Amino acid sequence: MDNFVQEFLVETREYVEQIDQDLLALERDITSRDVLGRIFRNFHSIKGCAQFLGFPKLGGVSHAGESLLSKLRDGHLQVTPEIITGMLAVTDATRVMLEAIGSTGKDGDDEFTSLITKIHLLEIGKTGVMSPESAAPSIPNVDVPVVESIPQTEVLEKPDLVPDSPVAQSQVTPEPSIVDESPVQPNLKPADEVQKSAARPAPMMAAPADSTIRVDVGLLDRLMTLVGELVLARNQIIQCASTSNREAPALQNATQRLDSITTDLQEGMMKTRMQPIRNVWNSVPRVVRDLCQLTGKKVRIVMEGEATELDKTVLEAIKDPITHMVRNSVDHGVEMPERRLELGKPEEGVLIMRAWHEGGQVNIELADDGQGIDPERVKRKAIERGILRADQASRMTDREAVGLIFRPGFSTAETLSMISGRGVGMDVVKSSIESIGGSVDVMSDLGHGSTMKLRIPLTLAILKALIIVAEEERYAIPQVNLVEIIRLEGVAAGSQIELLHGVNVYRYRGKLLPMVNLNRALGLEQGATCQIDTPHENSIINIVVLQADRTLFGLVVDKIVDPQEIVVRPLAKALRGIEPLAGATIMGDGRVALILDVFGLARLTNVLTDKIRQSDSESIDDSRPRIRLAEAIADMEQDEQRQSLLVMRATDGSRHAIPLEQVRRIEAIQSSEVEYRNGFGLANYRGTILHLVDPVQLLSKLGSGHFAPTILDPGLDTDNTSPSIHVVVCREEKQPVGLVFDGVVDIIRERIKATGKPRLAGSECSAIVGGHLTDILDIEKVLQVADEQFRDQSSGLLRGANS
Amino acid sequence: MKSTIHGTTQLCTFALDNLLLGLDVKRVQEVLRNQSMTHVPLASPVVHGLINLRGQIVLAIDLAYCLGLDPRPRNHETMLVVIRSDEGAASLVVDGIRDIVQVQSDAFEQPPETLQGRGREFIKGAYKLPKQLLLVLEPESILDFVRQHGSSVSLVSEDPD
């Protein structure tokens, strides 16, 4: 059955229950306007939903009820018991139809015309319509037509049959004879009991709606907290059990059971709080429809992954931001139909909403095919509003400019429209998403649309975190911010961590990673936060590579413990102003540990600043484009981007440049560690064999068309002036290949202008980089040639062995 | 709070340096000793740390610092007075626990005008015990102060307000 209909059934049953109770309350106190108002609203809701979902008969009956109620509400009629009776008949009829909808998907065959007529008569002030004994609080004789129209099963629900055991009752096979005597019992049951019985769904109805119950969220929260406690207690018990006497198998067994039960319980508890994102998205079509009517635009909505589940609290937190972004897309993004036709676009705009899980997070994307965001206009507005200086604007890339929409006080709307610009800006969207540990990003393709991308944690209560130690105290770092852990040992660490005018940086995949010393950042140790002590013989440096926004940085910590699931507790109010702290948790040994806020830490240490930075140079490649729109945008950006190049000094002293994105790693290998087999240079690289290739030799031979198997000159070994060689690892999967160089010159970021024909056959082009003639290597080509040579070589060897 | 001033009141008393301090017993939830304390970096010195009180994370306030005495060192053998507050429990670091004292309201006197600054906010007044003055604390002002200043590292020793 349609999800909408299911929800409608659940809700409407609740409404009917409530109406019944309220009608009875109204009968007791006919002056209560609150109760009357509530009945009216509930009927209105039923009518609206029924008509929307295409149940005309249900709609008709509830409409009749509603109009009678509106007379009462407006004071044109007085509440009489007869009216109450009539209304109760309406609720009964509603129930009948609900059951019909539940079992057949249609609202039955009966039009309930006589009931509607009676309600109309009541409405125009006629009395004596319902029954002679109209004072009876329950369904009287006159109701019989209604009862007759009810499917037989329903008949059983009449008051006289309300026994102590309703379950047994509902299993009785219906007997027609009951109908005659059922409707009116002289000794009427108390009203609430009647209503209870009436509310009970028809027998045999394993109504899907009944398999769910509504639970107070407060109760769920309390249970969740208790489960959290249980998890902690379990951890403590496990710790005790593991250290205590091994001779007590009973304890060990019990502990294991406790462990598995707790885990299951925790998972189950988490699930109770998970809800599909549909619950938030459902309101979008309505919002869009209203906007379209207001503006005359035409927008179609496409949704994907509506079933993606999120914790309820998270869901609530993203509701307003999403609505706001949808509004923005329709109001600012999609053009008027005439304009779209002029532009050669379909008249109807498209708003694509997607959600999917990825690595413990939920991604949500909102894409429209409207006009996109004009970076120039954004800049102009930002300057007008004093957010930006003109000179800053001129240096800004389009992408950065588009990001300005997240600045406080920013609005692109030339005039404040009715729809957008009502208090909530994109800055509020950003801050509310960030407050739940998510991030928001915008991409725009001018003229073709824009895409908003949200990344949101699944749940706020339990967090996967890495436990680290700083100054003997444990801290938890949310796993979502974690990229990689690097451990450097001994003096070698010193060569990899360099000083850049007072701040330490680490060469991370060829890019400079700013280093942050956690002990110093937290004030546990004196000294500059971005410096670490010079490594010595025995030093071990643990770097936790973290991601804040799109910026990466390396956090140097004393010790790395292990990843754990922790239960997040809010900090006391007194501590909420401390930026790098996100919360607290209780560890297995019962001690409190603090949870670090990676964003806060990045801001505190100036890794992230408010000033616009070249975030693209530090961004990691996580924006795997999901849709064509995003692809087009990404392509455009690629064109704009200057290239990042790693410049190396080759063995012959010439300069070679390699596009940085193709560099996996730079390794310094001692010449003595290189081994030679059949003319191959080989080195141990993370437990696999790395084939070493000297690009100069390889390519010069390629140029001359001569495929000699000299991959790496063993003569290098004898050259004692360079005890170590620098190897640029270009491929890690399949067969790892490392290009051998004399040393690293620089990492540059430039727009490369080819100045001449490639000097070597395997290079893309030659260019002047930093005043030196440099060959830009075509890595694909180099690897291809290297592969061919390995193949030739090994087949040659095989041939040699065979002959 | 008035009841603590008029009539008979029971005070839970404790020592800090050579001061005898007291709190209305109704505000005191329990007394703890030797709790493992988690240091909160970047917090004001008024924040001694966090403890786990049966699954509840409770702030430990350095009462000595509040009263302008030397802050207690972090590895100090902690004695904690847990007080109830609107925002769950909070605890005060003290040197030692003394008796529950029954005091008469007529032995109470407000601090003299010469007492100024933060001390005036935190000390409601004194009961004149035979041998010593028993200073009664105003827990709300202490908690308010911590709420406002707990996150600021550069806390001036004397509040200008």
Side-chain angles (χ1 to χ4, degrees):
Chain A
M1 204 189 306
D2 194 347
N3 271 315
F4 276 111
V5 176
Q6 286 213 13
E7 272 175 34
F8 166 71
L9 283 178
V10 175
E11 269 179 23
T12 310
R13 281 199 179 105
E14 281 183 10
Y15 286 143
V16 172
E17 291 271 359
Q18 183 70 46
I19 291 170
D20 264 357
Q21 283 172 25
D22 285 342
L23 281 172
L24 299 168
L26 188 64
E27 191 169 40
R28 283 195 291 275
D29 174 16
I30 60 166
T31 57
S32 171
R33 298 206 55 84
D34 285 353
V35 173
L36 188 56
R38 189 159 61 218
I39 301 172
F40 181 80
R41 281 195 302 277
N42 286 343
F43 255 113
H44 186 75
S45 307
I46 296 176
K47 184 186 92 169
C49 292
Q51 285 172 345
F52 176 70
L53 292 171
F55 301 122
K57 294 176 192 105
L58 180 54
V61 171
S62 42
H63 175 72
E66 190 197 358
S67 45
L68 172 57
L69 283 163
S70 71
K71 283 269 164 57
L72 295 173
R73 196 186 55 167
D74 298 340
H76 300 308
L77 271 181
Q78 279 292 316
V79 178
T80 63
E82 195 179 0
I83 287 176
I84 298 287
T85 310
M87 290 310 300
L88 285 172
V90 171
T91 61
D92 285 343
T94 305
R95 268 190 205 106
V96 174
M97 286 184 278
L98 288 181
E99 300 314 328
I101 293 168
S103 51
T104 66
K106 297 216 170 63
D107 53 350
D109 297 318
D110 200 301
E111 295 278 2
F112 294 98
T113 34
S114 61
L115 175 62
I116 293 174
T117 318
K118 285 191 181 105
I119 298 294
H120 281 317
L121 288 174
L122 284 172
E123 200 183 324
I124 55 170
K126 285 246 165 75
T127 52
V129 178
M130 288 313 285
S131 83
E133 318 102 300
S134 57
S138 181
I139 304 146
N141 264 344
V142 202
D143 216 12
V144 168
V146 180
V147 175
E148 278 171 354
S149 69
I150 295 170
Q152 281 191 330
T153 48
E154 182 62 17
V155 172
L156 289 171
E157 300 299 316
K158 287 299 127 193
D160 64 321
L161 284 174
V162 180
D164 290 334
S165 151
V167 179
Q169 161 60 23
S170 63
Q171 283 161 354
V172 177
T173 357
E175 277 177 54
S177 65
I178 295 169
V179 178
D180 305 329
E181 48 181 280
S182 72
V184 187
Q185 283 281 318
N187 54 342
L188 282 161
K189 304 252 167 178
D192 58 345
E193 207 176 326
V194 172
Q195 158 219 333
K196 231 188 254 161
S197 73
R200 191 158 294 116
M204 312 304 172
M205 254 303 288
D210 289 339
S211 63
T212 61
I213 53 165
R214 297 206 169 187
V215 183
D216 179 26
V217 178
L219 176 63
L220 278 185
D221 286 343
R222 271 205 304 288
L223 287 175
M224 191 71 203
T225 318
L226 286 176
V227 169
E229 297 303 329
L230 185 64
V231 169
L232 297 174
R234 185 248 344 235
N235 293 351
Q236 273 167 286
I237 296 255
I238 290 177
Q239 232 171 40
C240 292
S242 64
T243 52
S244 74
N245 195 353
R246 286 257 160 216
E247 302 302 304
L251 175 65
Q252 303 293 337
N253 285 344
T255 309
Q256 261 174 23
R257 254 178 77 71
L258 176 69
D259 184 20
S260 67
I261 293 171
T262 311
T263 310
D264 287 354
L265 183 62
Q266 187 187 348
E267 272 171 20
M269 202 57 224
M270 294 280 291
K271 278 195 195 121
T272 61
R273 300 173 52 90
M274 298 301 258
Q275 291 189 318
I277 196 166
R278 184 190 300 121
N279 292 8
V280 164
W281 282 5
N282 275 348
S283 64
V284 169
R286 179 65 202 276
V287 170
V288 171
R289 190 184 155 274
D290 287 358
L291 283 178
C292 287
Q293 287 208 323
L294 218 62
T295 57
K297 291 177 180 176
K298 289 187 178 165
V299 178
R300 181 162 54 93
I301 304 168
V302 180
M303 288 185 183
E304 275 178 35
E306 302 113 295
T308 309
E309 288 192 322
L310 277 160
D311 189 275
K312 189 177 166 60
T313 34
V314 180
L315 214 52
E316 269 158 19
I318 62 169
K319 188 174 176 157
D320 286 345
I322 286 194
T323 311
H324 183 74
M325 285 188 285
V326 167
R327 280 213 177 107
N328 260 346
S329 281
V330 176
D331 194 26
H332 300 309
V334 178
E335 307 93 335
M336 297 298 284
E338 311 84 61
R339 178 86 187 116
R340 289 182 66 87
L341 288 173
E342 277 171 38
L343 291 167
K345 291 183 183 182
E347 190 182 11
E348 196 179 43
V350 184
L351 179 65
I352 305 169
M353 305 180 71
R354 276 165 216 272
W356 70 97
H357 284 283
E358 195 176 72
Q361 279 188 310
V362 175
N363 292 337
I364 301 169
E365 218 170 57
L366 289 173
D368 65 65
D369 66 344
Q371 56 191 358
I373 302 166
D374 183 351
E376 291 310 317
R377 203 174 125 212
V378 171
K379 282 187 202 171
R380 230 176 26 244
K381 280 279 153 192
I383 296 168
E384 266 173 40
R385 286 171 196 265
I387 298 169
L388 195 70
R389 287 197 318 272
D391 59 311
Q392 287 175 314
S394 57
R395 284 200 305 269
M396 206 174 262
T397 66
D398 285 356
R399 169 137 202 190
E400 286 162 357
V402 169
L404 284 172
I405 61 167
F406 293 115
R407 293 299 196 84
F410 188 85
S411 169
T412 33
E414 303 285 345
T415 53
L416 279 182
S417 71
M418 270 289 288
I419 307 138
S420 302
R422 281 194 294 194
V424 209
M426 288 306 289
D427 61 315
V428 178
V429 168
K430 187 176 164 81
S431 61
S432 49
I433 295 293
E434 280 176 2
S435 70
I436 56 163
S439 65
V440 56
D441 204 4
V442 62
M443 291 174 276
S444 155
D445 180 3
L446 189 56
H448 298 99
S450 52
T451 304
M452 309 290 295
K453 191 172 171 182
L454 307 182
R455 289 164 71 87
I456 296 179
L458 274 182
T459 173
L460 301 179
I462 293 183
L463 194 73
K464 285 200 173 109
L466 178 74
I467 311 297
I468 55 106
V469 173
E471 285 291 311
E472 309 296 311
E473 204 78 77
R474 279 169 299 182
Y475 294 88
I477 300 175
Q479 198 104 44
V480 291
N481 301 109
L482 186 68
V483 179
E484 192 175 337
I485 300 170
I486 299 170
R487 182 185 159 100
L488 303 175
E489 287 179 26
V491 191
S495 66
Q496 292 174 62
I497 294 177
E498 291 156 275
L499 209 56
L500 194 157
H501 198 74
V503 297
N504 275 116
V505 288
Y506 171 74
R507 297 189 190 216
Y508 178 69
R509 304 259 155 85
K511 288 182 183 176
L512 294 183
L513 190 71
M515 306 280 277
V516 171
N517 186 328
L518 182 61
N519 292 1
R520 292 181 181 179
L522 294 181
L524 306 171
E525 186 186 303
Q526 293 298 311
T529 51
C530 295
Q531 269 187 29
I532 56 164
D533 296 332
T534 321
H536 50 83
E537 198 83 20
N538 302 321
S539 60
I540 291 168
I541 299 174
N542 291 305
I543 306 172
V544 182
V545 183
L546 297 174
Q547 182 188 5
D549 236 342
R550 296 172 64 87
T551 306
L552 294 181
F553 67 102
L555 189 67
V556 179
V557 302
D558 286 351
K559 215 170 114 189
I560 287 164
V561 187
D562 59 353
Q564 272 182 26
E565 288 207 341
I566 55 170
V567 181
V568 181
R569 298 296 181 68
L571 284 173
K573 272 204 194 83
L575 304 177
R576 285 189 198 153
I578 304 176
E579 239 191 334
L581 302 183
T585 189
I586 298 173
M587 305 299 295
D589 62 359
R591 276 183 67 104
V592 178
L594 291 162
I595 303 167
L596 293 179
D597 178 339
V598 172
F599 278 85
L601 192 63
R603 273 193 292 267
L604 179 84
T605 54
N606 294 324
V607 170
L608 273 185
T609 56
D610 283 340
K611 81 175 191 302
I612 301 285
R613 45 189 307 122
Q614 295 188 341
S615 56
D616 50 352
S617 67
E618 281 134 315
S619 69
I620 63 159
D621 183 27
D622 67 336
S623 45
R624 190 149 47 91
R626 300 282 299 191
I627 50 170
R628 226 175 308 145
L629 223 67
E631 253 164 36
I633 293 162
D635 284 349
M636 249 184 50
E637 279 171 2
Q638 290 278 304
D639 288 345
E640 278 173 14
Q641 266 177 12
R642 295 160 298 169
Q643 252 188 312
S644 292
L645 294 171
L646 171 69
V647 183
M648 301 291 291
R649 191 173 53 250
T651 46
D652 65 351
S654 65
R655 288 181 175 221
H656 291 230
I658 303 167
L660 208 48
E661 61 266 22
Q662 289 179 308
V663 175
R664 307 294 299 185
R665 202 168 257 281
I666 306 174
E667 291 277 328
I669 295 178
Q670 301 292 319
S671 298
S672 55
E673 285 173 15
V674 179
E675 296 187 41
Y676 298 91
R677 291 285 180 279
N678 308 315
F680 292 100
L682 304 171
N684 180 356
Y685 171 68
R686 296 174 158 200
T688 60
I689 295 169
L690 182 70
H691 281 261
L692 299 179
V693 175
D694 183 344
V696 180
Q697 293 191 23
L698 183 80
L699 296 174
S700 58
K701 271 155 195 159
L702 176 67
S704 66
H706 177 55
F707 274 60
T710 329
I711 307 303
L712 183 67
D713 187 359
L716 206 77
D717 199 7
T718 56
D719 184 3
N720 285 329
T721 53
S722 61
S724 71
I725 52 172
H726 286 84
V727 176
V728 177
V729 182
C730 291
R731 185 177 61 194
E732 283 178 311
E733 57 283 347
K734 241 168 76 187
Q735 190 168 47
V737 171
L739 303 184
V740 176
F741 290 96
D742 209 28
V744 182
V745 178
D746 199 2
I747 291 172
I748 53 145
R749 191 165 164 71
E750 269 182 34
R751 198 185 292 274
I752 297 302
K753 278 213 185 94
T755 46
K757 282 185 71 177
R759 203 169 58 84
L760 297 168
S763 55
E764 222 163 324
C765 61
S766 295
I768 302 292
V769 176
H772 293 270
L773 180 70
T774 307
D775 293 305
I776 317 286
L777 290 183
D778 181 349
I779 294 297
E780 294 289 317
K781 184 81 182 165
V782 171
L783 291 180
Q784 191 194 331
V785 174
D787 280 348
E788 279 169 18
Q789 292 211 357
F790 294 139
R791 240 196 337 272
D792 286 359
Q793 179 70 0
S794 25
S795 58
L797 284 173
L798 273 177
R799 270 200 306 278
N802 291 342
S803 56
Chain B
M1 278 303 116
K2 281 240 165 74
S3 65
T4 58
I5 297 169
H6 304 291
T8 322
T9 313
Q10 282 197 317
L11 295 178
C12 169
T13 67
F14 40 88
L16 202 60
D17 280 358
N18 51 8
L19 295 177
L20 182 65
L21 301 166
L23 272 172
D24 188 338
V25 279
K26 286 193 285 262
R27 292 301 302 265
V28 177
Q29 181 180 314
E30 61 190 299
V31 174
L32 301 168
R33 108 178 18 242
N34 285 336
Q35 287 286 313
S36 54
M37 185 75 60
T38 298
H39 171 62
V40 183
L42 305 176
S44 133
V46 75
V47 176
H48 190 78
L50 293 171
I51 58 161
N52 169 15
L53 177 61
R54 295 183 295 276
Q56 206 187 350
I57 295 175
V58 172
L59 190 68
I61 298 166
D62 195 327
L63 185 61
Y65 180 82
C66 287
L67 297 176
L69 310 172
D70 289 337
R72 293 299 175 248
R74 233 194 286 158
N75 51 8
H76 183 65
E77 182 172 307
T78 44
M79 191 70 94
L80 294 169
V81 178
V82 181
I83 52 176
R84 297 187 180 93
S85 83
D86 299 338
E87 200 204 319
S91 63
L92 303 174
V93 178
V94 299
D95 288 345
I97 302 294
R98 300 287 176 266
D99 302 329
I100 303 279
V101 179
Q102 188 119 2
V103 285
Q104 298 293 325
S105 62
D106 50 13
F108 180 80
E109 220 169 293
Q110 298 227 331
E113 288 304 317
T114 46
L115 174 61
Q116 284 294 321
R118 235 195 284 144
R120 187 168 189 88
E121 278 176 56
F122 300 153
I123 298 169
K124 205 187 311 183
Y127 282 98
K128 295 160 283 182
L129 301 189
K131 284 185 186 162
Q132 200 180 2
L133 288 179
L134 167 57
L135 305 181
V136 185
L137 296 175
E138 180 65 273
E140 278 323 310
S141 344
I142 297 177
L143 292 175
D144 270 351
F145 174 78
V146 175
R147 262 195 286 275
Q148 280 171 30
H149 300 285
S151 305
S152 47
V153 189
S154 54
L155 187 64
V156 278
S157 56
E158 197 70 11
D159 217 8
D161 307 348

